[in-house]
Amino acid sequence: MAPILEIRNLYKNYGATEILKDINIAIEPGDFLVLVGPSGCGKSTLLNCIAGLEPISGGTVTIDGRDMTNVSPKDRDIAMVFQSYALYPTMSVARNITFGMKVRGVDAATQAAKLKHVASLLQIEQLLDRRPGQLSGGQRQRVAMGRALVRDPKLFLFDEPLSNLDAKLRVEMRTEIKKLHQTLGATMVYVTHDQIEAMTLATQIVVMKGGVIQQMGSPAEIYNRPANLFVADFMGSPAMNLIPVRTRRNGEGTLIEISRADGEPIVLRDRKAPDLPSEVILGLRPEDIAEAGFRAGEDVQEATCLVDMVEPAGADTYVVSQLGGRQVTARLHAETRARAGAPLALAFDMSKVSYFAPDSGKRLN
Ligand code: ADP
């Protein structure tokens, strides 16, 4: 399939400062692309470059096969939804939604039909006569989305649309947006600093840092095979354990030696590790460390560790131990008998490990 949005070698400078560096992205119709990264990494700037609200300093942006370099935002066949909603305070909800169509000269019957359709899709039929000031945050966000939906554009662009909502409403609206994407089959580009939002919404995720793409892939690829230490640490909560270890090859694979402050190092065997340097960073997610006896398999290796801290979290209990000079978190079942200050046998699933180079941070396996 031809890409609906293609960004090639895009650069963006403000004065002498490079904000975006050699950005390359291609997505297909129906994709939900999430741009995620810490504050200041350039997500909004990239979205604004796609929208044409910011001129680019190099490279190209192509929407549905057409080079957008000299095309103004209103002619790009896009619709944007902002964090601030940007509703007209003096207009009713209905007029806020239809105003753009009116400006574009859409006839009254079509305006009415689209308004009806979108109001029912977003379940705001009963709010059409109100002013934005008479709506809750979540309702305003629906109106802002309604205004985008009636355009039926080639691309929807969302800039942190949920960040003004409280935690519970965020989760509800997240589900709504996902449903909307599935119902419409529309193509969406969505900016957020929230890695959980990225994981739950995206078909494709772009992780950014300092204006550079760190990795692009499906949520599963990003989660299971992070390309470097930054992505490994940024995506996932609690974060992936990243432990400095020593490696040694022997007849049956590779031995991974992890130091401990309070005794002999623990040694885990990885049958399938590639050739590794003698010092690497081992990455293992909390859910891939279980209490011994609760995880089985050829690649599960057990070792006894001293428990530092026990953190009940409802459905799970997190247990923290000092390994390799780091606080290492294991996600255990809620009924665990783990106690702070007592030893506990843990099971490490070595089929799930990532290895990273300590200097470059790049993935090695
Ligand atoms: P994000 O959306 O990831 O939080 P932004 O795209 O808003 O990041 O900003 C990226 C970087 O560009 C930041 O360092 C910010 O300070 C800088 N920046 C944004 N807008 C301007 C501007 N108009 N002039 C100069 N620097 C800017």
Side-chain angles (χ1 to χ4, degrees):
M1 220 182 307
I4 185 87
L5 169 68
E6 191 170 19
I7 299 170
R8 274 180 179 269
N9 310 114
L10 183 148
Y11 285 79
K12 169 73 186 171
N13 309 329
Y14 282 118
T17 315
E18 251 185 7
I19 303 290
L20 297 172
K21 291 165 208 149
D22 199 17
I23 302 289
N24 287 281
I25 293 173
I27 56 169
E28 298 191 342
D31 262 331
F32 197 130
L33 173 72
V34 176
L35 308 176
V36 68
S39 178
C41 73
K43 309 175 293 286
S44 299
T45 302
L46 179 54
L47 197 75
N48 289 338
C49 289
I50 297 170
L53 298 173
E54 283 290 348
I56 61 181
S57 311
T60 54
V61 173
T62 308
I63 296 175
D64 202 15
R66 183 166 164 226
D67 181 359
M68 289 289 143
T69 309
N70 297 313
V71 180
S72 79
K74 68 177 174 37
D75 297 324
R76 292 192 179 200
D77 204 355
I78 53 167
M80 265 187 108
V81 180
F82 298 94
Q83 176 182 343
S84 62
Y85 318 136
L87 301 176
Y88 302 108
T90 58
M91 290 185 194
S92 68
V93 166
R95 278 208 68 204
N96 262 286
I97 293 174
T98 55
F99 186 68
M101 292 192 282
K102 190 167 168 227
V103 170
R104 289 192 300 280
V106 175
D107 66 80
T110 309
Q111 283 185 38
K114 285 202 163 186
L115 174 63
K116 187 158 181 265
H117 175 66
V118 163
S120 120
L121 208 59
L122 295 167
Q123 296 165 4
I124 50 172
E125 293 113 317
Q126 73 289 2
L127 305 176
L128 293 179
D129 295 329
R130 290 204 203 164
R131 301 267 165 90
Q134 299 166 307
L135 302 175
S136 70
Q139 290 167 334
R140 276 181 225 172
Q141 190 50 264
R142 281 170 202 268
V143 177
M145 287 204 287
R147 197 172 45 181
L149 290 176
V150 291
R151 297 199 63 151
D152 202 11
K154 287 214 174 84
L155 275 184
F156 286 96
L157 306 180
F158 293 90
D159 193 356
E160 303 248 11
L162 305 184
S163 42
N164 285 341
L165 305 178
D166 66 51
K168 188 163 180 291
L169 201 53
R170 276 183 83 113
V171 174
E172 274 174 38
M173 287 301 287
R174 193 171 79 198
T175 310
E176 294 280 320
I177 292 178
K178 182 147 183 144
K179 262 199 264 171
L180 213 54
H181 174 249
Q182 284 167 357
T183 311
L184 300 171
T187 314
M188 300 182 167
V189 182
Y190 187 107
V191 164
T192 181
H193 62 273
D194 179 339
Q195 49 91 19
I196 297 179
E197 232 166 80
M199 290 295 296
T200 50
L201 287 171
T203 60
Q204 291 289 315
I205 295 179
V206 164
V207 184
M208 294 173 64
K209 178 193 161 201
V212 177
I213 293 182
Q214 304 294 305
Q215 188 173 8
M216 175 165 178
S218 69
E221 279 160 1
I222 301 266
Y223 192 76
N224 295 322
R225 298 186 53 78
N228 58 37
L229 284 171
F230 175 80
V231 177
D233 184 51
F234 189 74
M235 302 297 285
S237 174
M240 180 184 271
N241 296 299
L242 297 168
I243 315 165
V245 302
R246 297 186 70 82
T247 77
R248 183 156 40 94
R249 239 174 138 85
N250 84 346
E252 301 151 81
T254 301
L255 298 179
I256 310 292
E257 196 178 288
I258 311 178
S259 67
R260 284 193 295 183
D262 51 345
E264 292 294 298
I266 65 170
V267 179
L268 306 172
R269 184 187 306 280
D270 182 349
R271 294 184 308 139
K272 295 173 199 147
D275 263 336
L276 292 171
S278 62
E279 294 187 5
V280 298
I281 308 289
L282 174 139
L284 197 55
R285 294 211 176 270
E287 63 267 33
D288 297 321
I289 309 174
E291 196 162 343
F294 288 87
R295 186 93 161 213
E298 272 186 300
D299 292 308
V300 173
Q301 295 274 301
E302 296 186 359
T304 298
C305 304
L306 186 68
V307 173
D308 257 4
M309 223 171 6
V310 178
E311 299 175 337
D316 309 300
T317 293
Y318 295 106
V319 165
V320 178
S321 297
Q322 283 276 351
L323 291 172
R326 300 287 167 91
Q327 302 262 40
V328 171
T329 301
R331 183 174 152 189
L332 309 187
H333 51 100
E335 293 78 30
T336 178
R337 304 235 291 271
R339 289 291 166 266
L344 181 70
L346 292 173
F348 298 79
D349 190 342
M350 301 304 286
S351 69
K352 297 292 176 66
V353 297
S354 298
Y355 295 106
F356 302 97
D359 44 1
S360 69
K362 285 204 175 117
R363 184 182 188 85
L364 298 169
N365 64 324

